[in-house]
Amino acid sequence: MTIRKRRTVIAMATAVALVSAGVAACSSSSPSSSAASGGTTPGGGTTAASVIKLGLITDLTGPFSSSFTSSEKGIEAYVDMVNANGGINGHKLSYVVADTTSTITGAQTAAQELVQRDGVFAVVDDSAAFSGAEPYLLQQGVPAIGGAFDGPEWNVATNTNLFASTGVTDYNTVNSAIGQFMKAHGVTVCGAVGYPNATAGPSAVSVVKSCTAAGLKDGYLNTQIPVGSTDVGPIALAMQKAGVNGIVLPVVVSTGFALLGALKQLGVKLKVALLSTGYGGDLLASSAAVQAGQGYMFSSVGQPIEANTAATQQMAAALAKVGVTSTPTFAEQEAYIAAVAAGLKAAGTNVTQKSFMTALRNVHDFNADGLLSPGAVNFSNLNQDAGGAGAAGCIFAAQLEGTKFIPVSGTPMCGQAVAGLTTGSS
């Protein structure tokens, strides 16, 4: 059984078109069904048809696209896996993809297209610009599921249609996990850097405060680095002077690699060098990045596929069926860890958008078929996770050795908010 799978693209022929882009569509076939929009029930929202259509919002073009062009593979693997297992309560899944062009206005346009043109039942978010889509989706009563990494809208109680599949972080709190992780790996003096924004800066503060809570020394903290900057020479010198031997970097890879390279040139020996970004096939595809990243640890969205657990074996098999045989990218992991099946299972057979959201809000132990274990997501708790950890309040990490990622010993390590400590971000 095949249907037309439509991907939204933005035509930008001239510089003017960067602002006023026209929307075009192309089509291909995919193993799903187009009978997915259903009807409407009074006060209940759109009802689900025999095949439930999902809309993936992601950044296929624009400045964020380098991190999200692989998003579709993640949701394709997820949808195909659910369908191959017989679907959920008599429903199978299909999907369409809409491009945000890496802009807030583009995200809003993508959401409108998915709802008005494609009639999607729910949206899966895998975008750094998703905040632009949320007001419209909330107004239309459309459920949105995804990683809460783009903005603060996921922490707003009135956004009742949002479901963060890997948990929502309260960046004003401090998670005990990172300090315990550093201590377990022999770190005595901690350092962290971040950007002056709502997530990276507080995350860096949380790192050093978690370290001190674990009995380690706060060696260096800087939350004012310009986004993407590689001008890190003075920071490396300051870390060397402070005796830092463990560092956590909630920054992009370019900043992280620049700082770690500068520390290496100064002869600084690090027990831990943990980057929040970089894990996945994107890095492995670059020989220069592989060479630069040797020995560094990288956070993973849930269990790294190299952990070879039942959950990662299932993900690896699903991704392989859609052509992904390397380590999955951040975008592929985020799109794959969707809680759609959990919501449908909880909602029963005659599901509407409203009943789907009510049922999913009452799911308190979502672990993505084990990928988030031993952590779990409680969808009734907006600020479940304390700052400084990762998915579902746990640190999942892999270390680059040669051309392979190796799961870091002692992970996953889960923690909780440290009483009495805040980052001062709110």
Side-chain angles (χ1 to χ4, degrees):
M1 181 167 55
T2 61
I3 69 155
R4 180 169 55 90
K5 178 186 68 184
R6 184 164 55 212
R7 172 185 291 186
T8 302
V9 297
I10 303 298
M12 292 180 283
T14 66
V16 175
L18 289 172
V19 179
S20 55
V23 178
C26 60
S27 63
S28 62
S29 61
S30 173
S32 298
S33 169
S34 60
S37 58
T40 301
T41 58
T46 300
T47 57
S50 59
V51 176
I52 294 174
K53 186 186 293 184
L54 308 176
L56 175 68
I57 288 184
T58 192
D59 310 323
L60 297 176
T61 59
F64 299 144
S65 61
S66 61
S67 296
F68 293 97
T69 52
S70 59
S71 293
E72 185 176 351
K73 288 297 184 182
I75 195 170
E76 183 181 6
Y78 177 77
V79 165
D80 288 355
M81 178 191 67
V82 171
N83 291 344
N85 290 329
I88 304 294
N89 288 335
H91 298 291
K92 290 196 173 184
L93 304 178
S94 67
Y95 74 93
V96 289
V97 181
D99 179 21
T100 69
T101 68
S102 299
T103 65
I104 298 299
T105 55
Q108 180 181 4
T109 299
Q112 291 170 336
E113 292 167 354
L114 288 173
V115 174
Q116 297 174 13
R117 183 190 65 191
D118 297 315
V120 299
F121 180 82
V123 162
V124 175
D125 156 45
D126 198 7
S127 164
F130 175 76
S131 59
E134 168 52 16
Y136 175 77
L137 294 174
L138 176 65
Q139 180 187 54
Q140 297 299 312
V142 177
I145 303 159
F149 55 81
D150 66 290
E153 73 274 9
W154 299 88
N155 295 81
V156 179
T158 52
N159 287 340
T160 54
N161 66 322
L162 293 186
F163 299 86
S165 53
T166 56
V168 180
T169 298
D170 179 359
Y171 288 99
N172 193 45
T173 58
V174 175
N175 194 300
S176 62
I178 192 65
Q180 294 299 325
F181 174 80
M182 301 287 262
K183 187 175 184 178
H185 285 272
V187 173
T188 55
V189 183
C190 295
V193 299
Y195 303 130
N197 60 29
T199 56
S203 292
V205 174
S206 183
V207 167
V208 296
K209 289 197 173 187
S210 183
C211 281
T212 58
L216 309 180
K217 184 179 178 181
D218 170 7
Y220 183 86
L221 173 66
N222 187 329
T223 62
Q224 298 301 313
I225 301 176
V227 176
S229 174
T230 56
D231 182 15
V232 293
I235 296 173
L237 286 169
M239 286 189 168
Q240 179 192 41
K241 184 177 180 179
V244 169
N245 64 352
I247 184 172
V248 179
L249 302 170
V251 294
V252 298
V253 171
S254 57
T255 300
F257 275 18
L259 178 54
L260 293 171
L263 289 169
K264 186 178 292 185
Q265 287 184 339
L266 292 171
V268 175
K269 303 295 185 182
L270 297 173
K271 299 283 188 179
V272 169
L274 176 62
L275 294 95
S276 296
T277 60
Y279 171 80
D282 289 343
L283 186 148
L284 296 179
S286 167
S287 58
V290 169
Q291 183 177 0
Q294 289 300 305
Y296 299 153
M297 300 176 184
F298 298 84
S299 294
S300 169
V301 183
Q303 295 178 357
I305 205 162
E306 296 82 6
N308 200 32
T309 64
T312 61
Q313 288 171 6
Q314 176 176 273
M315 178 172 65
L319 287 168
K321 288 180 180 179
V322 299
V324 179
T325 55
S326 181
T327 298
T329 64
F330 170 83
E332 287 163 350
Q333 287 180 300
E334 286 285 359
Y336 179 89
I337 301 178
V340 175
L344 292 176
K345 192 176 297 183
T349 304
N350 298 317
V351 61
T352 66
Q353 289 169 312
K354 184 175 180 180
S355 69
F356 173 87
M357 289 188 283
T358 298
L360 188 53
R361 189 65 67 199
N362 289 317
V363 172
H364 302 157
D365 57 354
F366 174 73
N367 66 7
D369 294 327
L371 287 175
L372 302 180
S373 295
V377 175
N378 178 354
F379 287 115
S380 67
N381 190 345
L382 277 180
N383 298 314
Q384 176 182 355
D385 304 329
C394 302
I395 297 170
F396 300 91
Q399 189 168 20
L400 184 62
E401 297 181 10
T403 57
K404 295 182 179 180
F405 288 104
I406 308 298
V408 175
S409 63
T411 61
M413 180 174 286
C414 303
Q416 57 189 1
V418 180
L421 288 185
T422 68
T423 63
S425 63
S426 63

